[in-house]
Amino acid sequence: MTPTTHSPVTVLGLGSMGRALATTVAAAGHPTTVWNRTPGRADDLDSARTTEASSVRDAVTASSLVVVCLLDAASVREVLDPVADALAGRTVVNVTTTTPEQSRALAAWADSHGAAYLDGGVMATPPMIGGEGSLVLYSGSPAAYEEWRGVLETWGESPYLGEDAGAAALYDLALLAGMYAMFAGFFHGAAMVATAGISASAFAESAVPFVSAMVPAFRDYAAVVDGGDYGVAGQQSLDFSDLSDMVQASADAGVAPDVVAAVQGLIRRQIDAGHGKDGFARVYESIARPATTRAAR
C-alpha cells in the first residue's frame, strides 16, 4: 500500500513513549489505532483521531503500518506471535529497546511472515516526541523506510542507518552508554560535595557549564581513536590522568568510589602495559580490546 498524507497507523503499547508516539502521529492527521495490554489506557486520547482496539488482531489489521513500543524483545514476540498470519504485506516498526542481535532476530521473524521490518532507536524522552531535539534512528528495510518516512518524521529527525536491522539498536545503546556514564559521574560528584554540605542543585550550577564546555572534546578524541596514534602531541598523558587521588578522596569522604574507580581501572591497564606516556584517549583500547590489554600486562 502506498501511504497517503493521512495513512492509518497502529501503535501497540501505551506506556509513556507509546502514548507520545500515538498522540503525535494522530495530531499530524493520521487515523490512529492503539492497543494496550491493560484496556482503558486510551480513554484520554483524542477520540476523533484515535481508536482503541479490543484485541491485537483488530489493531494490526487496522493499518498497514504497525508501530510496536513494548517492554522488551520477548514481549514483542509474545504480542505478535498469535497474529503473525495478519502481518503479511504490512510494515512493522519496532521501537522497543532491544539488543542488536534481538533486532536482527525480529527482522528475520517478520520477514518469514511476509512483513517488512524497521528497527527504531528513540533518542528522546516522551515529552520531546514531535518537538525540537527529538531523534529516532532507523535501520532495516530501505523500501519500508522510504515508504513510511513521512510518518516517521512526525516524531522527530529520522536518520536511516542502513539495511542491517541491528544498526539502530547498536547506536541507541552506544549513545545511552555515554549518557548513563555521564549521569553516574554527576551523581558521584554530587555525593562528594554533599559531604561538605553542598546541595546537588548548587553543584549542578557548576557542573552544567563545565561539562558542556568539555563535550566538544569528543571530536578531538574521536580523531585520535580513528587515527590509532595515541602519542599525538597535545594530549593529556595517562600518567597525568591517574585518578588515585580522586578515588582516595571519595573513600575518605565515605563516598563509594565505584564510578571513578572503574575509570581508574581502565587507565591503569594501559599504564601497566607500558603506555603511560600516551594520551588519555588510549583508554579506548582498554574498553574495545580488553583481552589484548590484559594479555599484555
Side-chain angles (χ1 to χ4, degrees), residues 179-254:
M179 182 193 76
Y180 279 109
M182 176 185 68
F183 286 157
F186 169 76
F187 297 146
H188 181 92
M192 289 183 72
V193 300
T195 64
I198 300 171
S199 70
S201 296
F203 179 60
E205 292 304 310
S206 296
V208 169
F210 174 72
V211 173
S212 296
M214 295 298 103
V215 167
F218 284 175
R219 295 187 178 91
D220 296 330
Y221 282 133
V224 174
V225 170
D226 289 342
D229 181 2
Y230 298 104
V232 173
Q235 300 183 80
Q236 177 175 300
S237 73
L238 283 165
D239 285 333
F240 186 81
S241 300
D242 185 277
L243 305 185
S244 298
D245 287 345
M246 195 181 299
V247 174
Q248 187 61 53
S250 300
D252 290 346

Side-chain angles (χ1 to χ4, degrees), residues 98-196:
T98 57
T99 68
E101 285 305 314
Q102 289 171 334
S103 296
R104 294 177 186 119
L106 286 168
W109 177 86
D111 182 68
S112 72
H113 293 287
Y117 182 89
L118 279 173
D119 205 73
V122 183
M123 313 309 303
T125 60
M128 293 171 63
I129 296 298
E132 184 178 357
S134 181
L135 170 68
V136 186
L137 310 171
Y138 295 97
S139 61
S141 168
Y145 175 75
E146 288 302 326
E147 182 179 6
W148 295 104
R149 187 171 181 176
V151 175
L152 304 180
E153 289 178 343
T154 65
W155 296 318
E157 186 179 352
S158 307
Y160 177 67
L161 303 182
E163 197 165 354
D164 173 13
L170 178 64
Y171 220 88
D172 176 18
L173 296 178
L175 287 169
L176 290 175
M179 182 193 76
Y180 279 109
M182 176 185 68
F183 286 157
F186 169 76
F187 297 146
H188 181 92
M192 289 183 72
V193 300
T195 64

Side-chain angles (χ1 to χ4, degrees), residues 254-266:
V255 172
D258 303 60
V259 174
V260 291
V263 180
Q264 172 69 346
L266 299 173

